[in-house]
Amino acid sequence: MITLYHAPRSRSSSILWLLEELGEPYRIAITPIVYGNGEGNAAPEGYRRIHPHKKVPAIDHDGTIVFECAAIALYLADAFPQAGLAPSVGDKRRGPYVTWLAYWTGVMNPIITARFRGWDNDSPTGFGTFEDMENHLAGTLESHPYIAGDSFTAADVLVGGALGYFSGTLLPPRKSFDDYLARIADRPARQRALAKDTG
Amino acid sequence: MITLYHRPQTRSGSIVWLLQELDVPYETKIVTSLRSADGSGAVDPANPHPHGKVPALTDGGETIFEGGAIALYLTDKYRTKTLGPAAGEPKRGEYLSWLFYRPGVMEPAFMERRFAIKHVFGAMGWAPPEEVEDLLNRHLATNKYLLGAEFSAADIMLGGGLNFMLMFKMATETPVLKDYCARITDRPAFRRMMELDAPK
């Protein structure tokens, strides 16, 4: 059984979408967190057993605990290959797939946070420039329909989720972004996840 | 054939270390110029990394970049030596969590400290540096390596990064962290990397 430690409309929402794509049974453990605007309450200390920093998402799969979004996505998509959300090891498309998951973690996430909080104004952050990231995303989506190639993967859940959140605000609108977002928005699993992400 | 795009004494040293541990054939292409953090400086046109950084790696027709992605890609595909549990094996979840803890939590947390940025809970997808140090100290006080008894590529990526941060006083040295770094760097593959990377 899979348990998702989740806070409504937070960083764990993308894993809710991923679980709907996966089609395996799962349960949701609603977990208190402090939101970016300061609202909410931190989880009790005992929750550090699941997530060492008391954050979401984290999953428990038959006793195996996984945290960090990209780690969870890689873990679940490999554990349930029949869902077709990850090219397997040895497949030519594996390289771009793992690259995009790591890029979301190590480049997109901190660069977007830095821009959002306004702390890349005065000094470089070391993660790379916002414009480089924007150009790399656009170049990739102009050359194939999904982020890691011709088919939808778990990497689209994370990268597409972030793009959907910031396109038109922090990220200036582009046709390639809009087309991509339209392609992934209609997915039934996405719609089911949105409907469940209340409370 | 594996080709590593590398520049000595930079972050790509971790991948040299990993390749030396795996003991697989590879070639190294030295990247002659890098862009600095502010975007200035020239990119070596031979470097396939979209931001002109290192490491990048090609294998057959594939290009892989970002340290965590390269480490996972290599340890899943080349099983000459087990440097990480495969999908379906015990500890796979822990392995992935620690591999991505470095770029997702540790790096931005220490960057936050370096730039004296106030941590805002919830707004950042990582934890404040004090919490990161606390977790690593607690975990490594009772575990020989990140995954317990067995050395893995997570020790190269996260541990190698920690070793660097201790060396440059970006992280707070404690006996636990110092002993851990001494343990992971006391390996033939680490020494070969240091020799290969030494200024000529």
Side-chain angles (χ1 to χ4, degrees):
Chain A
M1 184 59 150
I2 303 165
T3 301
L4 169 66
Y5 293 86
H6 172 61
R9 295 175 304 282
S10 75
R11 287 188 173 83
S12 55
S13 297
S14 53
I15 304 299
L16 186 61
W17 175 14
L18 181 73
L19 284 163
E20 286 294 329
E21 294 280 355
L22 210 61
E24 294 294 321
Y26 69 95
R27 58 177 281 267
I28 296 174
I30 294 290
T31 307
I33 57 160
V34 178
Y35 285 82
N37 60 8
E39 285 174 15
N41 296 297
E45 274 305 294
Y47 178 62
R48 283 197 205 272
R49 188 181 65 79
I50 305 294
H51 195 299
H53 301 308
K54 300 203 294 185
K55 296 170 79 92
V56 291
I59 60 155
D60 178 340
H61 174 225
D62 296 336
T64 293
I65 310 287
V66 193
F67 64 94
E68 275 301 291
C69 287
I72 295 171
L74 273 158
Y75 177 88
L76 288 175
D78 280 347
F80 301 97
Q82 61 279 14
L85 292 172
S88 55
V89 174
D91 186 313
K92 268 183 64 61
R93 299 165 302 158
R94 182 80 177 179
Y97 168 69
V98 294
T99 296
W100 271 104
L101 284 170
Y103 187 85
W104 178 87
T105 306
V107 183
M108 280 182 74
N109 214 8
I111 286 182
I112 289 174
T113 306
R115 175 61 56 97
F116 190 64
R117 308 293 308 179
W119 42 268
D120 65 341
N121 294 339
D122 312 322
S123 58
T125 59
F127 302 110
T129 68
F130 194 89
E131 291 67 31
D132 269 355
M133 175 195 74
E134 214 182 311
N135 290 333
H136 180 49
L137 279 166
T140 302
L141 292 171
E142 279 156 19
S143 60
H144 39 72
Y146 294 99
I147 204 70
D150 290 330
S151 52
F152 182 87
T153 65
D156 290 295
V157 173
L158 295 191
V159 176
L163 203 56
Y165 202 72
F166 291 110
S167 182
T169 53
L170 277 190
L171 278 160
R174 286 186 191 232
K175 188 176 182 305
S176 56
F177 293 168
D178 291 345
D179 291 350
Y180 170 65
L181 291 171
R183 252 188 315 274
I184 59 175
D186 291 343
R187 298 180 65 83
R190 170 85 175 137
Q191 294 304 322
R192 286 196 300 274
L194 284 171
K196 281 190 183 180
D197 198 9
T198 55
Chain B
M1 179 63 141
I2 298 170
T3 302
L4 172 66
Y5 292 83
H6 172 57
R7 190 161 161 100
Q9 290 116 38
T10 67
R11 279 184 172 81
S12 53
S14 302
I15 306 299
V16 175
W17 179 8
L18 174 59
L19 287 163
Q20 290 293 327
E21 293 275 0
L22 284 174
D23 200 17
V24 289
Y26 71 97
E27 58 168 4
T28 306
K29 287 202 174 145
I30 300 295
V31 170
T32 55
S33 53
L34 289 174
R35 287 173 75 191
S36 53
D38 61 2
S40 66
V43 169
D44 184 339
N47 183 0
H49 192 296
H51 304 328
K53 300 176 90 159
V54 290
L57 182 131
T58 55
D59 184 22
E62 292 185 73
T63 303
I64 303 108
F65 58 92
E66 279 298 297
I70 295 174
L72 182 67
Y73 174 87
L74 289 174
T75 56
D76 275 350
K77 184 168 174 185
Y78 297 97
R79 309 291 288 174
T80 41
K81 192 172 153 193
T82 305
L83 281 180
E89 291 180 0
K91 302 227 171 204
R92 174 73 171 183
E94 269 184 75
Y95 176 54
L96 292 173
S97 297
W98 284 119
L99 263 187
F100 285 90
Y101 190 81
R102 172 169 176 190
V105 183
M106 194 171 101
E107 288 262 357
F110 285 110
M111 200 65 80
E112 188 181 294
R113 174 182 283 170
R114 200 172 124 206
F115 288 107
I117 289 154
K118 185 182 179 305
H119 191 85
V120 182
F121 282 92
M124 275 109 169
W126 53 86
E130 300 73 36
E131 265 199 41
V132 173
E133 289 179 337
D134 181 55
L135 172 66
L136 293 175
N137 274 292
R138 276 188 291 118
H139 186 70
L140 294 168
T142 51
N143 289 283
K144 189 175 180 194
Y145 298 112
L146 287 168
L147 298 189
E150 300 293 327
F151 178 84
S152 74
D155 295 301
I156 298 177
M157 303 310 295
L158 192 159
L162 183 65
N163 186 49
F164 180 89
M165 286 168 184
L166 288 179
M167 230 155 40
F168 291 91
K169 314 268 182 239
M170 292 160 72
T172 315
E173 191 178 283
T174 62
V176 166
L177 298 184
K178 201 178 156 197
D179 288 355
Y180 167 70
C181 288
R183 215 154 45 232
I184 59 167
T185 55
D186 185 21
R187 300 177 65 85
F190 180 82
R191 286 191 284 275
R192 283 198 295 278
M193 179 272 281
M194 292 298 279
E195 281 162 27
L196 288 168
D197 255 17
K200 303 278 181 317

